[in-house]
Short mmCIF file of all heavy atoms in Angstrom, two decimals:
data_model
loop_
_atom_site.label_atom_id
_atom_site.label_comp_id
_atom_site.label_asym_id
_atom_site.label_seq_id
_atom_site.Cartn_x
_atom_site.Cartn_y
_atom_site.Cartn_z
N ASP A 201 23.65 -24.48 24.49
CA ASP A 201 24.99 -24.63 23.94
C ASP A 201 25.22 -26.04 23.40
O ASP A 201 25.87 -26.23 22.36
CB ASP A 201 26.05 -24.31 25.00
CG ASP A 201 26.14 -22.81 25.28
OD1 ASP A 201 25.65 -22.02 24.44
OD2 ASP A 201 26.69 -22.42 26.33
N ALA A 202 24.68 -27.02 24.11
CA ALA A 202 24.82 -28.42 23.65
C ALA A 202 24.11 -28.62 22.31
O ALA A 202 24.62 -29.30 21.41
CB ALA A 202 24.27 -29.37 24.70
N LEU A 203 22.95 -28.02 22.18
CA LEU A 203 22.21 -28.13 20.91
C LEU A 203 22.95 -27.43 19.77
O LEU A 203 22.99 -27.92 18.64
CB LEU A 203 20.81 -27.55 21.07
CG LEU A 203 19.85 -28.32 21.97
CD1 LEU A 203 18.54 -27.54 22.18
CD2 LEU A 203 19.55 -29.69 21.39
N LEU A 204 23.57 -26.29 20.08
CA LEU A 204 24.32 -25.58 19.05
C LEU A 204 25.54 -26.38 18.60
O LEU A 204 25.92 -26.34 17.42
CB LEU A 204 24.75 -24.19 19.55
CG LEU A 204 23.62 -23.21 19.93
CD1 LEU A 204 24.18 -21.82 20.17
CD2 LEU A 204 22.55 -23.16 18.85
N SER A 205 26.14 -27.09 19.54
CA SER A 205 27.28 -27.95 19.18
C SER A 205 26.83 -29.04 18.21
O SER A 205 27.54 -29.38 17.26
CB SER A 205 27.90 -28.58 20.43
OG SER A 205 28.44 -27.59 21.27
N LYS A 206 25.64 -29.56 18.46
CA LYS A 206 25.12 -30.61 17.56
C LYS A 206 24.81 -30.05 16.17
O LYS A 206 24.93 -30.76 15.17
CB LYS A 206 23.85 -31.23 18.15
CG LYS A 206 24.10 -32.13 19.35
CD LYS A 206 22.79 -32.77 19.81
CE LYS A 206 23.01 -33.71 20.99
NZ LYS A 206 21.75 -34.36 21.42
N LEU A 207 24.40 -28.78 16.12
CA LEU A 207 24.15 -28.17 14.81
C LEU A 207 25.41 -28.17 13.94
O LEU A 207 25.34 -28.22 12.72
CB LEU A 207 23.65 -26.72 14.96
CG LEU A 207 22.22 -26.50 15.46
CD1 LEU A 207 21.91 -25.01 15.45
CD2 LEU A 207 21.20 -27.24 14.62
N CYS A 208 26.58 -28.09 14.60
CA CYS A 208 27.85 -28.06 13.88
C CYS A 208 28.42 -29.46 13.64
O CYS A 208 29.49 -29.59 13.03
CB CYS A 208 28.88 -27.25 14.67
SG CYS A 208 28.37 -25.54 14.99
N SER A 209 27.71 -30.46 14.11
CA SER A 209 28.21 -31.84 13.98
C SER A 209 28.22 -32.28 12.52
O SER A 209 27.33 -31.90 11.74
CB SER A 209 27.32 -32.78 14.80
OG SER A 209 27.62 -34.13 14.50
N PRO A 210 29.19 -33.12 12.11
CA PRO A 210 29.17 -33.67 10.76
C PRO A 210 28.11 -34.75 10.57
O PRO A 210 27.84 -35.16 9.44
CB PRO A 210 30.58 -34.27 10.61
CG PRO A 210 31.01 -34.55 12.00
CD PRO A 210 30.40 -33.52 12.87
N ASP A 211 27.50 -35.20 11.68
CA ASP A 211 26.48 -36.24 11.62
C ASP A 211 25.12 -35.62 11.27
O ASP A 211 24.57 -34.84 12.05
CB ASP A 211 26.40 -36.95 12.97
CG ASP A 211 25.41 -38.12 12.96
OD1 ASP A 211 24.73 -38.30 11.93
OD2 ASP A 211 25.31 -38.81 13.98
N GLU A 214 22.39 -35.85 14.01
CA GLU A 214 22.52 -34.92 15.13
C GLU A 214 22.07 -33.52 14.73
O GLU A 214 21.42 -32.82 15.51
CB GLU A 214 23.97 -34.89 15.63
CG GLU A 214 24.37 -36.12 16.44
CD GLU A 214 25.58 -35.86 17.31
OE1 GLU A 214 26.31 -34.89 17.03
OE2 GLU A 214 25.78 -36.61 18.27
N GLN A 215 22.42 -33.11 13.53
CA GLN A 215 21.98 -31.81 13.06
C GLN A 215 20.46 -31.71 13.02
O GLN A 215 19.87 -30.73 13.47
CB GLN A 215 22.53 -31.55 11.64
CG GLN A 215 24.02 -31.26 11.58
CD GLN A 215 24.44 -30.92 10.17
OE1 GLN A 215 23.76 -31.26 9.20
NE2 GLN A 215 25.58 -30.25 10.03
N SER A 217 18.16 -33.55 14.66
CA SER A 217 17.51 -33.60 15.98
C SER A 217 17.72 -32.30 16.75
O SER A 217 16.82 -31.80 17.43
CB SER A 217 18.03 -34.78 16.78
OG SER A 217 19.41 -34.63 17.07
N ALA A 218 18.93 -31.71 16.62
CA ALA A 218 19.19 -30.45 17.33
C ALA A 218 18.33 -29.32 16.77
O ALA A 218 17.78 -28.50 17.52
CB ALA A 218 20.67 -30.09 17.20
N GLU A 221 14.82 -29.73 18.11
CA GLU A 221 14.67 -29.32 19.52
C GLU A 221 14.68 -27.80 19.66
O GLU A 221 13.90 -27.22 20.44
CB GLU A 221 15.78 -29.94 20.36
CG GLU A 221 15.61 -31.44 20.60
CD GLU A 221 16.59 -31.97 21.63
OE1 GLU A 221 16.64 -31.40 22.73
OE2 GLU A 221 17.32 -32.93 21.32
#
Side-chain angles (χ1 to χ4, degrees):
D201 286 342
L203 291 173
L204 299 190
S205 296
K206 287 184 179 182
L207 287 183
C208 302
S209 169
D211 183 355
E214 285 200 341
Q215 287 184 339
S217 65
E221 287 190 53

